[in-house]
Amino acid sequence: MSTPGVLLAAPEGRRAGGRRPVDTSPPTDRPGPLSFGGFVARAAAAGRLVVQPRMGFADPGRMRAGLAGTRAAAAVTVGTLTIDSYTRVGDHAAARAALTEGVPLNGYPIAAHPAERTRAMLDGILGPGFPVQVRHGSSRPEAIVRALAAVGLDATEGGPVSYCLPYGRTPLSESVDNWARACELLAALVPAPRTPHVESFGGCMLGQLCPPGLLVALSVLEGLFFTRHGIRSVSLGYAQQTDAAQDAEAVRALNRLASELLPPDTDRHVVLYTYMGVFPRTAAGATRLLEDSARLAVHAGAQRLIVKTAAEAHRIPTVGENVRALETAAASADAAARARLGATETADAAAGADSEVYREARAFVDAVLELGTDLGRALRAAFARGVLDVPYCLHPDNAGRSRSFVDAGGRLRWAETGAMPVAPYAAPGGRTPLTSDGLLTALHGVAARYDTPVPD
């Protein structure tokens, strides 16, 4: 993966404050389509972090305005179509009825809108300099994949575990089969020279209280699953958590494990999510957290960042608030990239170290791969035996014997590990059992820390 370096100059129409416009997008000097993964790779080679919003509107006009605002931001951006809840669970009749009756939806119903309408919405916005990803949260993604391919899109995200366990009661075996078909379908429906791309959500699943070794392992295992079902361009996700040093270990572990385990011809990158738990309520606290996530992405070696806004704790953000968040993150990343140029040796040494997160993640991955060559069956067996066990996850296929806590230094640790191939943390002097009050304190800890004013 590349080291952030020289900053690029910008396409016409992109804003750069009151200064002369600067080109903030990667070059697109070769003709024809540029895939989602290829776009991120070229940005990384030019030393730029790609930033991306969470965004979805049911009305095509509003959705187009959101994508246009994202594209025009003074940053290297990709667009997002976040899908509504009805479409996520496969209730397409309800999505169509809501559109007919004017009932508000919480995202873009890509399978309910006619393909011609979505193509018109994307016309003149989607292109080699601005790819768009479909984000959804579905354990039944086949209809979404068909719809996105029909309108000229080729990138989505999720996974057989990460879009099953936290979101409902779909049996894991069913989700594994659904995602195998969806990956094969996406690979078949996206014509050359475009390359279909799938991002694993495994590193974000209930991430605010899950020690990162398990999250890293789930993301790597889902990335492997995608490649075994025909996908040759993947990204591995991880959500910022409670401790910056531990998060940096996690991002570096993702990059290292991807290089060790994914097929060598796989196009790949790591995507970091700005903290996904309870968000700071003050604008200053939220902005500091966003800026820290951008710096983390650069220093640890992520190539794309999913941002959150200062309005996150209060309501759904506007397009303008999303654009400000994108530009804030990009400015912070650019400053971090310039600062990092003199520290590449130290960063490269850290990236190759056997960190605590790497060792745990490798133990999880190896334990699953030992359960068989069919990765779908191995994942099912791993959860059935408790080899993989997500703390505080209530899904029927999760063993529910693992527990975690935040230690005195802020790192997420294992309190109980059940049948997993890692040991609980032996806290000096013993550990106080986690009560309901302690759980709430842990869930709100990051927000409280960032909402505390910084001394002058």
Side-chain angles (χ1 to χ4, degrees), residues 283-359:
T287 300
R288 284 198 298 121
L289 181 52
L290 172 61
E291 290 172 337
D292 279 353
S293 71
R295 284 188 283 267
L296 170 65
V298 170
H299 290 305
Q303 292 79 39
R304 179 161 53 98
L305 176 70
I306 309 292
V307 308
K308 292 181 82 170
T309 73
E312 213 72 37
H314 308 282
R315 54 178 167 74
I316 296 173
T318 65
V319 171
E321 287 164 338
N322 271 296
V323 170
R324 283 194 291 277
L326 293 167
E327 294 180 340
T328 296
S332 183
D334 288 346
R338 288 191 290 269
R340 187 174 182 265
L341 287 176
T344 51
E345 260 184 52
T346 304
D348 290 344
D354 277 0
S355 67
E356 178 183 71
V357 175
Y358 172 83
R359 290 192 299 271

Side-chain angles (χ1 to χ4, degrees), residues 163-246:
Y163 270 4
C164 175
L165 264 64
Y167 290 108
R169 299 179 69 83
T170 301
L172 181 60
S173 59
E174 184 179 324
S175 181
V176 166
D177 291 344
N178 292 343
W179 271 94
R181 286 194 300 271
C183 287
E184 292 163 7
L185 184 64
L186 183 64
L189 290 178
V190 173
R194 289 175 18 226
T195 304
H197 181 92
V198 184
E199 169 194 329
S200 168
F201 197 71
C204 313
M205 187 178 61
L206 298 177
Q208 61 267 33
L209 282 182
C210 185
L214 179 56
L215 297 177
V216 168
L218 285 169
S219 200
V220 171
L221 288 164
E222 288 195 334
L224 272 171
F225 180 90
F226 301 151
T227 65
R228 293 186 182 183
H229 290 281
I231 301 299
R232 292 292 173 263
S233 178
V234 303
S235 48
L236 307 180
Y238 176 76
Q240 178 189 21
Q241 296 187 18
T242 59
D243 179 76
Q246 191 178 39

Side-chain angles (χ1 to χ4, degrees), residues 84 87 92-97 99 105 108-115 117-118 147:
D84 68 290
T87 303
H92 305 295
R96 287 191 294 270
L99 289 178
L105 293 172
Y108 188 81
I110 194 168
H113 280 306
R117 186 176 299 162
T118 300

Side-chain angles (χ1 to χ4, degrees), residues 19 47 55 89 101 137 142 150 155 189 199 237 266 278 424 426 431 446 448:
R19 299 165 295 175
M55 187 183 293
V89 298
E101 298 165 12
E142 184 173 334
L189 290 178
E199 169 194 329
T266 304
V278 178
R431 186 183 63 81
V446 169

